Every structure is written in structure tokens, then in C-alpha cells.
Amino acid sequence: MTDTKKSATLSLNGESYELPIFSPTAGPDVLDIRKLYGQAGVFTYDPGFTSTASCDSTITFIDGDKGELLHRGYPIDQLAGKSHYLEVCYLLLYGELPTAAQLEDFEARVTRHTMVHEQMHNFFRGFRRDAHPMATLVGVVGAMSAFYHDSTDISDPWQREVASIRLIAKLPTIAAMAYKYSIGQPFVYPRNDLDYAANFLHMCFSVPAEQYEVNPILARAMDRIFTLHADHEQNASTSTVRLASSSGANPFACVAAGIACLWGPAHGGANQACLEMLKEIGSVDRIPEYIARAKDKSDPFRLMGFGHRVYKNTDPRATVLKQSADEVLDLLGIEDNPLLQVAKELEQTALNDPYFIEKKLFPNVDFYSGIILEAMGFPTSMFTPIFTLSRTVGWVSQWKEMIADPQNKIGRPRQLYLGETARDYIDIENR
Ligand code: CMC
């Protein structure tokens, strides 16, 4: 953040107030309103935070108009094409690409933390068998603070580091356990000889009765899904993690709060909602009916997996993932899968429809990730847990950045109050 010596003048009730302007390294200038209430006695009003920077950050930059996503300056398409998930995790956490030795050390640290406390198995068994895996994740990740007491003191940098590694390492194990539990299969322990993505597939699809070989094309596609979801600056769940941590809460509780936020269909739940929509459409000949409904203002139906709050040109993550979707569908074939046929046809129809073109509604990352995960054999209920485990590094990186910032203070938005003004209590017999 540079102080540009630029400022804006606000005229209010005959008084003028100078508001400093900060220039970021990329993106629009930012008006500093921190002293506004103290000086002018007014709040600003911005429901949904469409015009508000809630923090400064050096981790991720998005230019929604250009369709650009950078992590520590590196474009996402280069990272997805040349790097891999754990290297991107290192980059997000520590700010620079690792040397070979640093990467080896980091991978070893993550790999050695993939097992969960054995007592956690009992904790899982307390959930109803048909619990949604996201419900299980919210509970189990929050409960990590009850299992790992030695990494909850946020004032200790070493404990913050251990908590970060634990979260990144154990989330795939917990997500896979939630899945296995929901289908009544035994939990599968992690294998340290497999890489992060292949190990996750192993923990989800292995059964004791037979050998499971991880297909390298599927492992690569899985790794790409993880990489493309790793961070996305101050989105709803990340802002939730930051707000929760601003009170000094422990990292496991804060990440559980982020998971709860991510679950919603307007955020991470969109990939599940998208596949459910494809199932509802059911066959290619019904696509025009659903396109018409999506355009009808009196119908609340929206095409799930289309549109984005920030990207108004193209979602760069979707561009990369479309290639992966094509590779996976080529490998597994879609001839026998009507759902995937509907997805392919819907994509083309919407991309050529004037309504979607004019409103800049492109397929987003959730559209393609849903297709790939469906083709891999994941049930829709696992889509958001997979987004969750991928995003954990983003939450943790943003959390670490915030805690290390001496300016960090508790998040406390104000409001535009429209309720009753003060009135006297009425005794119950007089109401
Ligand atoms: N289908 C049909 N119309 C749409 C859609 C859609 N998916 N998305 C937006 N519109 C229309 C909307 O009706 C509005 O029309 P009008 O200007 O005539 O009122 C216009 O486009 C702008 O929509 P908005 O709701 O003001 O845009 P927003 O920035 O508030 O919403 C969104 C962004 C992602 C919530 C929205 O596009 C949406 O609901 N998409 C479907 C859900 C989805 O795929 N979400 C995943 C987002 S990517 C993953 C993540 O980051 O979590």
C-alpha cells in the first residue's frame, strides 16, 4: 500500500473532509474512510461489501474485468499448467516459490501430518450415517481444537505454523473419512508414498477387499481442481475466517466457520447445485426449457455454475478446468452418461445465447469441477468438501497474514438501523 498523497474531498453539511487515497500495486485506488465516523459522524453503507476493501493483503489479486487471477503475482494458468497443488500451497503460505530443498521439506512436513488422531474415528461415528459430509466437516474441523491443544495459541508463531500444516495435511483425510462414513465403508488410512491428490483418491476409492490403482490422469485432474480452488482473495468464506479470527479464536474454529460459509449454494455449494440442476434437466431436449426459465425474471431459477460476482469476462479457473474436463471425459467417455451430455450441450447453448452473453454470464469454475468430479465417480455431496479441502490453504494463508499484522483489530461492522426508536416496555396484560 503506498500513500499517494492523493485524497478525495467529501462535502457534508457544509463541512469538507479529506479522505486519503491509497494506491495498491494492482487494482483500483482505495479510499481510506477509517477516520470518517470520528470526524464527520457518519458511517458508510455497503451491504454485500461490493465496494469495500476489508483489509490489505499481498496474497492474491483478481482483475474481474480482465479475467485475471494471480497468486503472489503468478498467473493461475501458469501455476495450474506448470506447478502443482503443494507447491502452490507453499507459495500462498510463504510468499515465494520454493527451492527444490524447500519443497521437499514442505511436502515431507505435510505428508507426515496426514493421519488424524485415532480417537477422531470415534468422534465420526457420533454422526448420523446419512449426514451430509459438509455437516461432518464443520463439526470435525471445529473439533480439531479439542484434539490438537498444542497448536491453538495464536500468539505463538510456531503453533500457528503447526496448525497450518495440520489443517492442510488433515483436511483430505477428514473429507475422505466423511465420505467413507456416509457410504458405510471402512476408513482408509493415508499412504505417504502417494502424492497429495493421488492419496486423496486412494482414501476415497480404496477398499480393503481389492487393490485400487490411482489413474495418473485422474490424479492430475484432481490436483488441478485443488490448485484452482486454493485461494480467491477476500471471498465470503475467507472473509468469514478473517472475521472469526479477528476476535482471537483458534485456527481450527475459524476454519470451521469458513467451511460453514463455503457450504452455501451461492459460494462453494454451487458445484453440487450445478450437478443437481443437470440431473433435474435430465436430457438434452429439455435444455431450452431451463434456459428460458433462467432468463425469466419471475422465476427464481438460475443456471448454477454460471456467472460470478467478480469475473465479468471469463473465469480463468474455468478456462483451465475446461481442458481437464475434456481430458477426463475423453478418458472415461460420456456416451453412457446423459448427465455429462446435458452438461456439454448446456455449456454450448448458454455460451451462444444473447442473454448470457450480454450479462457476461460465463461458466464458472464450479461448472467444470462438478463435471470432472461426477465423471470420476464422486457423489454430488462430496463436491463442496473437495472445494473445502482445496481452499483450506487459502484460509490458512489469509489467517496467518492477518494474525501477523500488528494493525489487526477485531472486525466490527456498523449498520444502518431502520428499527423502532426507543420506546417504553408494555406489561403483558396491556398488549
Ligand atoms: N443464471 C441466470 N441469470 C443470472 C445468473 C445465472 N446463473 N447469474 C446472474 N444472473 C443475472 C441476474 O438475474 C441479474 O440479472 P438482472 O441484471 O437482469 O437483474 C444479473 O445476471 C446480475 O446478477 P447478480 O445476481 O446481480 O450478480 P451477482 O454478482 O450478485 O451474483 C452469483 C453472482 C455467482 C451469485 C450469480 O451469478 C449466481 O447466482 N450464479 C449461480 C451460482 C453459482 O454458480 N455460484 C458460484 C460462483 S463461483 C464459485 C465461488 O466463487 O464460490
Side-chain angles (χ1 to χ4, degrees):
M1 174 164 76
T2 38
D3 185 350
T4 55
K5 308 278 181 249
K6 281 196 279 182
S7 66
T9 307
L10 173 74
S11 297
L12 189 73
N13 302 328
E15 298 283 340
S16 289
Y17 302 95
E18 287 301 304
L19 301 175
I21 292 178
F22 296 120
S23 278
T25 46
D29 282 353
V30 173
L31 212 55
D32 179 1
I33 56 155
R34 282 175 295 177
K35 295 198 175 130
L36 187 61
Y37 178 63
Q39 290 173 345
V42 291
F43 297 139
T44 54
Y45 181 59
D46 186 19
F49 305 113
T50 53
S51 299
T52 297
S54 60
C55 61
D56 50 81
S57 180
T58 60
I59 301 174
T60 292
F61 173 73
I62 299 173
D63 183 327
D65 294 323
K66 277 206 253 165
E68 182 176 65
L69 168 60
L70 309 177
H71 291 320
R72 305 285 190 183
Y74 295 103
I76 191 65
D77 55 327
Q78 291 184 24
L79 293 173
K82 298 182 180 174
S83 182
H84 59 90
Y85 183 67
L86 279 187
E87 187 177 62
V88 172
C89 287
Y90 186 100
L91 176 69
L92 289 168
L93 280 168
Y94 306 114
E96 294 297 339
L97 288 169
T99 61
Q102 286 167 330
L103 182 61
E104 193 183 336
D105 171 66
F106 179 68
E107 287 182 337
R109 278 192 290 143
V110 171
T111 306
R112 287 204 199 98
H113 277 93
T114 48
M115 279 171 67
V116 296
H117 195 294
E118 198 64 14
Q119 218 182 329
M120 267 197 170
H121 291 218
N122 303 335
F123 187 74
F124 265 91
R125 294 195 169 93
F127 286 91
R128 262 178 67 138
R129 175 66 70 203
D130 55 357
H132 192 289
M134 283 301 281
T136 313
L137 277 189
V138 174
V140 175
V141 173
M144 284 175 78
S145 39
F147 286 92
Y148 302 105
H149 295 148
D150 58 346
S151 49
T152 53
D153 177 359
I154 62 158
S155 63
D156 177 349
W158 185 82
Q159 292 203 28
R160 296 205 295 266
E161 176 67 16
V162 176
S164 308
I165 297 290
R166 280 191 170 136
L167 279 159
I168 294 163
K170 294 185 200 309
L171 251 293
T173 314
I174 293 172
M177 287 170 80
Y179 172 51
K180 286 297 197 189
Y181 186 70
S182 71
I183 56 171
Q185 289 186 3
F187 299 136
V188 174
Y189 286 98
R191 261 180 54 189
N192 286 0
D193 60 319
L194 295 174
D195 67 32
Y196 193 86
N199 178 49
F200 178 64
L201 292 173
H202 155 75
M203 290 189 292
C204 288
F205 295 122
S206 244
V207 284
E210 58 188 57
Q211 185 81 6
Y212 172 77
E213 288 297 332
V214 182
N215 182 308
I217 294 181
L218 299 189
R220 175 79 191 132
M222 191 78 258
D223 189 88
R224 273 203 170 160
I225 289 180
F226 293 163
T227 302
L228 293 168
H229 287 84
D231 191 44
H232 215 223
E233 54 118 306
Q234 308 311 320
N235 57 85
S237 57
T238 302
S239 298
T240 302
V241 171
R242 278 187 179 256
L243 192 58
S245 345
S246 75
S247 72
N250 76 68
F252 305 112
C254 296
V255 168
I259 297 173
C261 177
L262 188 76
W263 194 357
H267 193 6
N271 49 17
Q272 171 167 357
C274 172
L275 255 286
E276 279 161 4
M277 174 193 75
L278 295 177
K279 280 184 187 151
E280 192 185 313
I281 297 175
S283 58
V284 168
D285 57 303
R286 295 187 65 201
I287 289 175
E289 179 195 329
Y290 280 83
I291 292 274
R293 283 186 61 194
K295 295 195 236 175
D296 180 357
K297 285 281 146 240
S298 61
D299 188 331
F301 174 77
R302 282 183 170 202
L303 274 196
M304 299 313 285
F306 284 79
H308 198 274
R309 167 60 66 81
V310 178
Y311 296 122
K312 298 300 175 195
N313 177 342
T314 180
D315 180 342
R317 303 166 301 171
T319 312
V320 177
L321 218 47
K322 181 176 163 40
Q323 287 169 9
S324 281
D326 290 341
E327 267 173 44
V328 170
L329 296 189
D330 274 356
L331 177 79
L332 301 173
I334 61 164
E335 298 76 23
D336 301 331
N337 191 330
L339 204 86
L340 298 176
Q341 288 166 0
V342 170
K344 279 258 156 198
E345 188 62 30
L346 182 68
E347 176 201 21
Q348 286 315 310
T349 311
L351 284 174
N352 293 306
D353 188 294
Y355 172 94
F356 290 90
I357 296 169
E358 273 159 31
K359 292 194 187 300
K360 303 185 172 177
L361 300 170
F362 297 87
N364 59 46
V365 67
D366 288 321
F367 183 75
Y368 296 109
S369 65
I371 294 172
I372 295 173
L373 296 174
E374 161 75 20
M376 281 178 173
F378 283 104
T380 50
S381 61
M382 275 304 286
F383 291 8
T384 318
I386 289 168
F387 190 161
T388 302
L389 77 89
S390 322
R391 181 56 56 84
T392 297
V393 67
W395 293 329
V396 166
S397 305
Q398 303 265 352
W399 165 75
K400 281 182 85 182
E401 178 179 70
M402 191 182 101
I403 300 290
D405 180 356
Q407 290 195 62
N408 173 33
K409 50 165 76 176
I410 188 163
R412 176 55 170 94
R414 304 306 295 254
Q415 63 174 3
L416 167 64
Y417 177 67
L418 298 174
E420 298 288 347
T421 52
R423 50 182 173 165
D424 287 326
Y425 179 82
I426 304 165
D427 292 330
I428 196 158
E429 60 274 15
N430 296 328
R431 284 175 222 159

